[in-house]
Amino acid sequence: FNGGAIDWAFGETLAFGSLALGGTPVRLSGQDSTRGTFSQRHLEFYDYESGQGYLPLRHLSKDQGKFDVVDSSLSEYAVMGFEFGYTVGDPFTLVMWEAQFGDFANGAQIMIDQFITTAESKWGQPTGLVLLLPHGYEGQGPEHSSARIERFLTLCAENNMQVCNASTPAQYFHLLRRQMYGGVDRRGMRKPLIVFTPKSLLRHAKAVSHLHDLITGGFREVISDENPMLRPDHISKVLMCSGKVYYDLLAAREERGLDNIALVRLEQYYPFPLNELRDTLLRYSASAELVWVQEEPRNMGAWRYIREWIEPLLIESRRTLRYAGRAESSSPSAGSLKRHTQEQADLIDSAFTGNTAPTGRKRVVRKPKAK
């Protein structure tokens, strides 16, 4: 490494290694965690002749924290329950459970509802379990697109957990470290952390960080537009978004040669960073149009949650909030790659132009045959 770009897996490994070197044990389990569902990790190597495995992160120093990565069975309910119990028995270990795809967490919904999100409220039992849920609309169909952000957001209350959607390797790096060094409340109790992790962004040319981003600062709950060429007083539209769609918007802005549209990233959904978002929006004129952009259908994702939380800011500035995204749907996404691509293009165009995007799937109504 010569100071070049740091991709998602590299940033993650640096987070694991720095925690272990600092004496913090790290444990990761999931159905394909050693190599990663998308073959992005290189945590374990195997001797070609003997088949013996070797984990470099276990051999950083003599007094380091323990490091474990486990390829578990395809039983989300059982494995997530085990990892929950692990955090109860050892609250000083960073314990992570990773789904192959985010929607696989629905196999452990009882565990999420009964223990992870409510254990502290019902029994005063804290947990610091981290759920890593790959999420993003890549045209893979309904079963591999959505980690059901909306479900987790409906469970947020009483400061019971953290729900984040980091968009850069540095953000993810700081988020994992914050979980052990700063993710506690005033009573010193660690909170569950839900992270919507990327798929295509794992190797995206622009979804990278640099060493300076990791060794300075920390996790930012809101990221304002970092383009130095944009003049805040010249901005006529602010596009708010979270996760992968930011890079789609960034590419579209560059293609259209626009210098009057700002892109604001919401990196943490809950606890909602209302003050940080207020400070960010104050950089721009109150006359600038405010738009929430998401890939998920209107009845899913964060739209309804965002609209409720941001209402006080809208009243203060006498603004309105427009939605740009897919139409309401009973299915998380289309099953056709061609249709997905068209829907994605429509919602991006809607964000910039205000045109109503025909992103819904038309319902076929069959007329009764004439007798």
Side-chain angles (χ1 to χ4, degrees), residues 58 64 92 118 127 180 187 203 206 209 215 223 229 240 265 283 303 324-325 364-365 369:
R58 286 182 177 173
Q64 71 171 78
F92 299 106
T118 60
T127 175
M180 298 311 296
R187 296 167 293 168
R203 297 178 178 88
K206 291 198 173 183
S209 300
I215 63 178
I223 301 180
M229 303 303 293
M240 294 173 49
R265 282 172 277 177
R283 297 181 56 195
W303 162 240
V364 177
V365 180
K369 294 182 180 179

Side-chain angles (χ1 to χ4, degrees), residues 67-348:
F67 177 80
D68 284 320
V69 55
V70 181
D71 291 330
S72 58
S73 63
L74 193 66
S75 178
E76 296 85 2
Y77 179 61
V79 179
M80 190 185 295
F82 180 88
E83 302 303 338
F84 167 78
Y86 201 110
T87 66
V88 173
D90 183 3
F92 299 106
T93 292
L94 174 64
V95 181
M96 297 162 286
W97 177 81
E98 181 179 57
Q100 277 191 319
F101 289 90
D103 54 318
F104 283 26
N106 59 18
Q109 197 65 50
I110 297 174
M111 197 60 57
I112 294 169
D113 292 344
Q114 299 297 331
F115 293 95
I116 295 174
T117 63
T118 60
E120 186 178 335
S121 174
K122 291 192 293 187
W123 305 305
Q125 177 63 69
T127 175
L129 181 62
V130 179
L131 302 187
L132 304 178
L133 309 177
H135 174 90
Y137 280 54
E138 325 280 358
Q140 293 178 290
E143 315 318 327
H144 293 317
S145 294
S146 178
R148 295 291 191 175
I149 290 175
E150 65 279 358
R151 289 184 182 174
F152 287 95
L153 295 182
T154 61
L155 298 172
C156 292
E158 300 178 307
N159 196 33
N160 62 332
M161 58 180 170
Q162 308 157 88
V163 182
C164 300
N165 193 2
S167 62
T168 70
Q171 281 284 90
Y172 182 46
F173 171 87
H174 289 303
L175 185 59
L176 292 179
R177 289 181 55 82
R178 186 184 77 167
Q179 179 65 2
M180 298 311 296
Y181 296 143
V184 296
D185 62 16
R186 287 175 292 181
R187 296 167 293 168
M189 299 173 72
R190 195 161 283 116
K191 302 290 183 177
L193 171 62
I194 315 301
V195 186
F196 300 107
T197 56
K199 294 180 286 183
S200 64
L201 293 190
L202 292 170
R203 297 178 178 88
H204 195 288
K206 291 198 173 183
V208 297
S209 300
H210 295 84
L211 188 60
H212 174 78
D213 302 318
L214 274 65
I215 63 178
T216 60
F219 180 73
R220 292 183 288 171
E221 298 169 356
V222 177
I223 301 180
S224 59
D225 203 307
E226 298 175 322
N227 188 338
M229 303 303 293
L230 296 183
R231 290 171 39 200
D233 60 344
H234 186 58
I235 298 300
S236 62
K237 192 189 304 287
V238 178
L239 303 183
M240 294 173 49
C241 62
S242 186
K244 166 187 165 286
V245 73
Y246 163 76
Y247 293 95
D248 295 332
L249 294 170
L250 183 64
R253 186 176 68 178
E254 292 176 354
E255 290 172 2
R256 300 174 187 220
L258 301 173
D259 63 357
N260 63 332
I261 294 181
L263 305 179
V264 174
R265 282 172 277 177
L266 184 66
E267 302 280 292
Q268 178 171 293
Y269 291 116
Y270 188 84
F272 191 79
L274 188 63
N275 292 331
E276 290 82 354
L277 186 58
R278 176 188 286 111
D279 293 342
T280 298
L281 295 181
L282 284 175
R283 297 181 56 195
Y284 310 109
S285 169
S287 63
E289 183 185 17
L290 189 60
V291 186
W292 172 257
V293 188
Q294 67 177 35
E295 297 184 301
E296 302 83 8
R298 188 183 184 105
N299 57 313
M300 302 179 193
W303 162 240
R304 293 174 178 174
Y305 171 85
I306 292 295
R307 185 172 57 180
E308 179 177 348
W309 269 104
I310 205 173
E311 185 176 4
L313 302 185
L314 299 177
I315 295 175
E316 289 175 12
S317 58
R318 297 182 180 179
R319 279 175 163 159
T320 58
L321 179 65
R322 179 167 66 84
Y323 169 82
R326 286 174 168 80
E328 290 187 355
S329 172
S330 58
S331 175
S333 73
S336 161
L337 177 59
K338 182 178 180 180
R339 180 172 288 177
H340 158 80
T341 303
Q342 184 59 55
E343 289 180 355
Q344 198 76 5
D346 288 343
L347 74 89
I348 295 299

Side-chain angles (χ1 to χ4, degrees), residues 31-83:
Q31 289 131 8
D32 205 1
S33 292
T34 302
R35 69 159 193 167
T37 299
F38 312 98
S39 302
Q40 78 273 19
R41 292 196 185 101
H42 301 284
L43 295 179
E44 187 169 13
F45 298 89
Y46 291 87
D47 185 285
Y48 183 81
E49 296 181 352
S50 68
Q52 184 67 35
Y54 178 77
L55 284 164
L57 289 179
R58 286 182 177 173
H59 306 279
L60 300 176
S61 71
K62 294 182 179 180
D63 56 351
Q64 71 171 78
K66 184 180 180 182
F67 177 80
D68 284 320
V69 55
V70 181
D71 291 330
S72 58
S73 63
L74 193 66
S75 178
E76 296 85 2
Y77 179 61
V79 179
M80 190 185 295
F82 180 88
E83 302 303 338

